Amino acid sequence: MMLPIPDVLTPEQVRQCRQMLDTAQWVDGRVTTGFQSARVKQNSQLPETHPTARAVGQVILDALAQNLLFMSAALPARLYPPMFNRYAGGQHFGAHVDNAVRQPPSGPRIRTDLSCTLFLCDPDEYEGGELVVEDLYGHHTVKLTAGHMVLYPSSSLHHVRPVTAGARTCSFFWVQSMVRDDGDRRILFDMDMAILALNKDMPDHPGLLSLTNTYHNLLRRWVEA
């Protein structure tokens, strides 16, 4: 399942994060990639242990903890600390797949079930730089408003087109979900959205309790504690 998640950060949060990121010291993005990806990766990256990366990353994690759409879709067990990249001057990232397991600078390894890209620049600030995700249904091009995020399976091939003008700054990170299978997560997400809609439009509907019960029973069956 590929899902845009709007308004993860407010415009004011984006402004504050950009101020911190714009004054930080960036390094070659290949320092944190494997051999195969390093051959097709051209960008700048903020070191994971940089104080700015940790400060801005915490703003993002706090926002996600309050985002009901993200929580419903991802069912997160663990999140990799947010990282940050920048593309300019024709930089790009060729087709690649994310590593199945990632080791944060501290804490346990995580299985990468879901990949996240949070845009920190508006589309009119740069040319090119679209995130392109490939799945069974074709190629999906993503270029979102600052503060918006896209969530997609980490098993997907994806690439970033060259940035031909301006600069594209994003945060990227991974989620280990409580529910490993993408199809199972999609069923649970669709049910949860249906439950929310019924609660809003028909709170006394007799099927609401049954649907909620089924949701939790499926979650109980599929969750990995």
Side-chain angles (χ1 to χ4, degrees), residues 62-185:
D62 290 344
L64 288 172
Q66 304 299 318
N67 191 293
L68 297 182
L69 187 60
F70 169 77
M71 298 301 289
S72 177
L75 295 170
R78 297 189 188 121
L79 274 70
Y80 196 96
M83 300 169 66
F84 302 88
N85 58 25
R86 177 171 290 170
Y87 295 80
Q91 290 180 322
H92 66 283
F93 198 164
H96 64 284
V97 65
D98 292 335
N99 292 343
V101 178
R102 302 284 306 199
Q103 176 64 63
S106 61
R109 292 188 297 266
I110 78 161
R111 183 186 66 242
T112 58
D113 296 321
L114 293 159
S115 298
C116 306
T117 297
L118 173 63
F119 289 78
L120 294 169
C121 295
D122 283 318
D124 61 1
E125 295 184 65
Y126 59 97
E127 295 179 9
E130 296 88 355
L131 170 66
V132 182
V133 181
E134 305 176 32
D135 62 19
L136 292 174
Y137 306 102
H139 293 58
H140 307 276
T141 302
V142 185
K143 190 173 182 179
L144 301 179
T145 301
H148 296 206
M149 187 178 87
V150 64
L151 183 72
Y152 59 96
S154 298
S155 56
S156 305
L157 280 173
H158 54 282
H159 65 274
V160 177
R161 290 175 177 164
V163 172
T164 57
R168 171 196 191 267
T169 302
C170 289
S171 176
F172 65 101
F173 52 98
W174 299 272
V175 179
Q176 177 173 321
S177 178
M178 293 186 291
V179 176
R180 182 192 298 248
D181 183 79
D182 184 60
D184 293 343
R185 284 196 306 273

Side-chain angles (χ1 to χ4, degrees), residues 191 195 198 205-218:
M191 291 185 68
I195 290 168
L198 278 174
H205 193 284
L208 185 57
L209 181 59
S210 176
L211 185 60
T212 303
N213 185 52
T214 300
Y215 171 88
H216 284 284
N217 284 337
L218 286 174

